[in-house]
């Protein structure tokens, strides 16, 4: 447990901001757009359903002051949207929107974008959205998640091993059951306490807020964790009963195991996206098969070291492990297809690379399992051969010398090379299995490749302002310089245009007239007059409409006096 925790902390500590699972697909208004009139509300659309927080939206005006907005709410389109109502009158300038929501698979998502009313501001409010999660809270939360994965595998696997393989009464198995139950209970409580600061990006001390904790209890992730705690309380009664009566868990134990697995399926990737019912069933079966295999391996390992395990019990677990691997392969292939969406995502996304790493680890795990299976077969063969040996019964002597003393039973039998080899191979399986669980924890914290592709396809192209420098020379002393023209956002539709005239010394120059027009020769459109007006130091217009994308010819006419003027042409690409 400690080595696994340190491994997760090391891996997660070296990564950048965590990838969330609900990717932003579109914003209304679009990022960077310039509107003629102020919008009444803001709407975000995501790749999956999201939950809202009290502070899901922060809207800052051009001076950096926060606006009073309405309550965050879902739009009529569904839970994949998030929106907020704006004040009735917005001043001219650039507004910054910082947002934060919680995806359906319980991971927080945050970001920011801008839009302008009338014309862009010369300066805009800067919002430091910071990391999606506080680093300390994120580390503690992920450690608790890994311990929960590890503990549920040990709890279900040990209980299944006890029920199916019927090992000899070994106190170490009962201790393993109690330890895994307490670890899972403590990890679930930690997840419940850390849930609020994890969602809001606060430090670990945010868990002490009563209001935040109350909100967590009524949220979807909080309800799932509460359901897990309730199932654990019932499971604890079975653990106590098993420790006292030494009877294996029956059908109610299997129902509890399925219920615990369902709490993971309801709170991770399977709960959002395509084919949710099938995905949640597959996810629960995948977790149960993992627990039966890896948890059972741990139970087998400690029993091999602490008790005399019969070859028949080992053989029964070998069959159980083979069935678990079959379920893992079927559900793993489906979940990989659902998460990736394409072969390119296998190498082109973080999710795909983590999945590849997990597949390599699983191959190593299967190789170790094959070795264990071969040693199990040899051990069973040796045991069967030993049972066929007929021991000759020695009659009791009558009046003769006394019989030799029987062999002492308190002496440890000589080491069995087959058992020792099986111990080593099972130990290798458990070690690789712990690494597989660590990689699985990372996968559940990474944006699936399919969602990443959907977000990239649906998101508008991000294009910055187009800046063009047009040199001019009217042929008179001091009659040369350049015109710097900024076209924002430089794409189809409404744009704002600003033009600054610089003289021969590089300083801003005042000219009596400046005209700019646009022509698209490929479509025989234009010339379109930009209708610039003198803004006092620069020329501009906030509502220049360029209807079609392409290479536009921009004609700039500069008049420096009553009789001196010149026209120059440059090319501007409109996206």
């Amino acid at each position: 447990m400690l080595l696994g925790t340190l491994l997760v902390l090391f891996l997660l500590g070296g990564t950048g901001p965590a990838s969330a699972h609900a990717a932003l697909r579109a914003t209304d208004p679009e990022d960077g757009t310039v509107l003629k009139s102020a919008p009444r509300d803001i709407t975000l659309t995501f790749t999956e359903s999201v939950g809202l927080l009290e502070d899901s939206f922060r809207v800052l005006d051009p001076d950096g002051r926060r606006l009073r907005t309405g309550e965050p709410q879902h739009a009529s389109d569904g839970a994949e949207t998030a929106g907020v109502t704006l004040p009735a009158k917005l001043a001219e300038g650039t507004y910054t929107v910082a947002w934060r929501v919680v995806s359906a698979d319980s991971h927080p998502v945050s970001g920011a974008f801008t839009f302008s009313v009338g014309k862009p501001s010369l300066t805009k409010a800067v919002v430091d959205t910071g990391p999606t999660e506080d680093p300390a809270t994120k580390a503690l939360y992920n450690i608790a998640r890994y311990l929960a994965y590890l503990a549920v595998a040990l709890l279900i696997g040990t209980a299944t091993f006890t029920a199916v393989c019927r090992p000899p009464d070994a106190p170490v198995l009962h201790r393993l059951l109690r330890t895994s139950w307490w670890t899972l209970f403590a990890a679930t409580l930690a997840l419940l306490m850390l849930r609020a600061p994890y969602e809001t990006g606060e430090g670990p001390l945010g868990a002490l807020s009563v209001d935040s904790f109350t909100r967590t209890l009524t949220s979807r992730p909080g309800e799932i964790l509460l359901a897990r705690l309730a199932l654990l309380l019932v499971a604890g009664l079975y653990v106590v009963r098993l420790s006292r009566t030494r009877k294996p868990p029956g059908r109610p134990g299997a129902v509890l195991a399925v219920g615990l697995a369902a709490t993971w399926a309801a709170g991770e990737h399977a709960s959002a996206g395509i084919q949710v019912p099938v995905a949640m069933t597959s996810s629960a079966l995948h977790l149960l098969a993992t627990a039966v295999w890896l948890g059972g391996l741990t139970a087998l390992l400690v029993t091999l070291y602490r008790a005399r395990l019969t070859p028949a019990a080992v053989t029964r677990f070998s069959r159980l492990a083979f069935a678990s691997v079959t379920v893992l392969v079927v559900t793993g292939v489906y979940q990989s297809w659902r998460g990736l969406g394409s072969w390119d995502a296998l190498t082109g996304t973080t999710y795909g690379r983590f999945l590849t790493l997990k597949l390599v680890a699983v191959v190593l795990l299967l190789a170790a399992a094959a070795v264990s299976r071969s040693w199990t077969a040899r051990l069973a063969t040796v045991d069967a051969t030993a049972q066929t040996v007929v021991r000759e019964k020695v009659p009791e002597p009558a009046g003769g010398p006394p019989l030799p003393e029987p062999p002492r039973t308190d002496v440890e039998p000589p080491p069995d090379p087959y058992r020792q080899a099986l111990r080593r191979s099972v130990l290798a399986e458990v070690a690789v299995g712990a690494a597989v669980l660590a990689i699985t924890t990372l996968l559940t914290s990474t944006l699936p490749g399919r969602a990443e592709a959907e977000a990239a396809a649906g998101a508008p192209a991000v294009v910055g302002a187009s800046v063009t420098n047009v040199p001019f020379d009217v042929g008179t002393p001091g009659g040369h310089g350049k015109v710097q023209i900024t076209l924002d956002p430089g794409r189809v539709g409404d744009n704002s245009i600003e033009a600054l005239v610089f003289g021969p010394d590089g300083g801003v120059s005042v000219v009596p007239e400046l005209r700019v027009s646009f022509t698209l020769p490929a479509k025989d459109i234009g010339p379109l007059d930009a209708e610039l007006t003198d803004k006092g130091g620069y020329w501009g217009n906030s509502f220049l409409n360029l209807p079609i994308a392409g290479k536009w010819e921009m004609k700039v006419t500069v008049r420096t006096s009553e009789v001196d003027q010149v026209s120059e042409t440059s090319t501007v690409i409109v996206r």
Side-chain angles (χ1 to χ4, degrees):
M1 283 185 174
L2 291 174
L3 289 176
T5 299
L6 291 175
L7 175 64
V8 173
L9 183 61
F10 172 76
L11 291 176
L12 296 180
T15 62
S19 298
H21 298 166
L24 181 64
R25 177 174 288 168
T27 66
D28 183 16
E30 292 184 2
D31 184 16
T33 190
V34 180
L35 307 174
K36 294 181 178 179
S37 59
R40 287 296 296 123
D41 48 47
I42 296 171
T43 304
L44 310 182
T45 304
F46 297 90
T47 56
E48 64 181 48
S49 57
V50 294
L52 302 178
L53 305 171
E54 287 187 352
D55 200 30
S56 277
F57 287 93
R58 287 182 295 148
V59 183
L60 306 182
D61 67 11
D63 296 326
R65 294 187 296 266
R66 183 171 181 176
L67 299 180
R68 290 183 177 272
T69 60
E71 292 292 327
Q73 57 186 358
H74 295 293
S76 57
D77 297 340
E80 294 82 9
T81 60
V84 68
T85 302
L86 297 174
K89 295 181 179 180
L90 296 182
E92 186 178 79
T94 300
Y95 291 80
T96 303
V97 181
W99 53 268
R100 185 182 186 89
V101 296
V102 180
S103 62
D105 55 8
S106 76
H107 296 276
V109 194
S110 64
F113 68 97
T114 63
F115 69 90
S116 301
V117 177
K119 70 173 184 177
S121 306
L122 296 178
T123 60
K124 62 182 179 180
V126 178
V127 177
D128 182 13
T129 58
T132 305
E133 303 96 357
D134 177 81
T137 304
K138 169 189 168 185
L140 292 174
Y141 192 84
N142 282 316
I143 289 173
R145 290 177 65 241
Y146 178 74
L147 288 178
Y149 269 117
L150 191 62
V152 75
L154 289 176
L155 181 63
I156 296 176
T158 303
T160 305
F161 179 81
T162 303
V164 176
C165 301
R166 299 187 295 278
D169 185 19
V172 66
L173 290 181
H174 303 300
R175 289 198 297 271
L176 189 60
L177 278 173
R178 291 193 298 270
T179 301
S180 59
W181 185 89
W182 279 109
T183 303
L184 182 55
F185 190 81
T188 305
L189 278 179
L191 290 172
L192 191 61
M193 295 295 296
L194 291 169
R195 185 68 215 175
Y198 178 71
E199 289 182 350
T200 58
E202 297 177 308
L205 293 180
L208 302 179
S209 171
V210 177
D211 292 338
S212 298
F213 184 69
T214 303
R215 286 197 306 272
T216 298
L217 296 180
T218 57
S219 66
R220 184 172 180 273
E223 291 172 351
I224 293 173
L225 292 173
L226 285 175
R228 186 181 301 172
L229 285 175
L231 290 170
L232 279 175
L233 291 176
V234 180
L237 298 178
Y238 279 90
V239 171
V240 173
R241 176 191 173 193
L242 182 61
S243 300
R244 292 178 178 177
T245 63
R246 311 301 188 189
K247 292 183 180 179
R251 184 175 298 176
V255 173
L256 286 172
V258 173
L260 286 173
T263 63
W264 264 272
E268 299 291 352
H269 287 159
S271 62
I274 62 173
Q275 303 175 354
V276 171
V278 178
M280 290 185 63
T281 303
S282 174
S283 179
L285 290 174
H286 196 81
L287 179 59
L288 287 171
T290 301
V292 170
W293 185 16
L294 298 184
L297 273 176
T298 305
L300 173 64
L301 181 63
V302 297
T303 308
L304 283 171
Y305 275 96
R306 301 294 181 89
R308 191 70 179 177
L309 191 62
T310 63
V314 179
T315 302
R316 283 192 291 269
F317 177 75
S318 183
R319 298 192 186 104
L320 181 64
F322 183 80
S324 300
V325 169
T326 303
V327 175
L328 281 173
V329 169
V330 174
T331 56
V333 169
Y334 169 73
Q335 290 179 200
S336 299
W337 167 82
R338 183 176 180 270
L340 286 174
S342 67
W343 286 109
D344 293 338
L346 192 62
T347 56
T349 63
T350 303
Y351 182 88
R353 289 187 284 271
F354 275 138
L355 182 60
T356 303
L357 183 61
K358 180 180 178 179
L359 292 176
V360 172
V362 169
V363 169
L364 295 176
L365 190 58
L366 291 174
V371 175
S372 297
R373 192 171 175 84
S374 66
W375 285 117
T376 299
R378 296 181 189 181
L379 185 62
T381 302
V382 171
D383 183 70
T385 303
Q387 291 180 2
T388 61
V389 176
V390 180
R391 298 186 180 275
E392 189 178 310
K393 184 177 181 181
V394 180
E396 183 179 350
L403 290 173
E405 294 184 5
R408 295 175 57 185
T409 59
D410 59 340
V411 179
E412 186 73 21
D416 187 341
Y418 296 109
R419 290 181 184 274
Q420 290 181 338
L422 183 59
R423 290 173 185 172
R424 289 192 293 269
S425 62
V426 173
L427 179 60
E429 281 189 78
V430 172
V432 179
V436 170
L437 284 179
I439 299 170
T440 301
T441 305
L442 294 174
L443 270 175
T444 58
S445 300
T446 306
L447 179 67
R450 183 186 295 272
E452 186 174 334
E454 289 177 356
V462 178
V463 182
S466 168
V467 179
T468 306
N469 291 309
V470 181
F472 68 90
D473 188 350
V474 296
T476 60
H480 62 278
K482 69 177 181 178
V483 181
Q484 184 182 79
I485 299 176
T486 302
L487 194 64
D488 189 13
R491 57 189 177 200
V492 171
D494 286 336
N495 290 262
S496 66
I497 181 172
E498 295 181 358
L500 277 173
V501 181
F502 294 92
D505 58 353
V508 176
S509 178
V510 177
V511 295
E513 186 179 10
L514 181 65
R515 298 191 305 273
V516 177
S517 62
F518 292 85
T519 304
L520 185 60
K523 300 293 183 179
D524 196 23
I525 297 177
L528 304 178
D529 189 0
E531 299 180 357
L532 299 182
T533 57
D534 190 352
K535 302 293 185 179
Y538 73 97
W539 297 73
N541 180 10
S542 299
F543 304 109
L544 170 64
N545 186 277
L546 299 175
I548 298 177
K551 288 186 177 182
W552 289 74
E553 290 184 359
M554 180 174 63
K555 182 179 179 181
V556 180
T557 300
V558 183
R559 183 165 63 86
T560 59
S561 67
E562 292 295 331
V563 293
D564 299 314
Q565 74 174 34
V566 66
S567 296
E568 302 288 349
T569 302
S570 183
T571 300
V572 175
I573 297 178
V574 176
R575 306 290 181 182

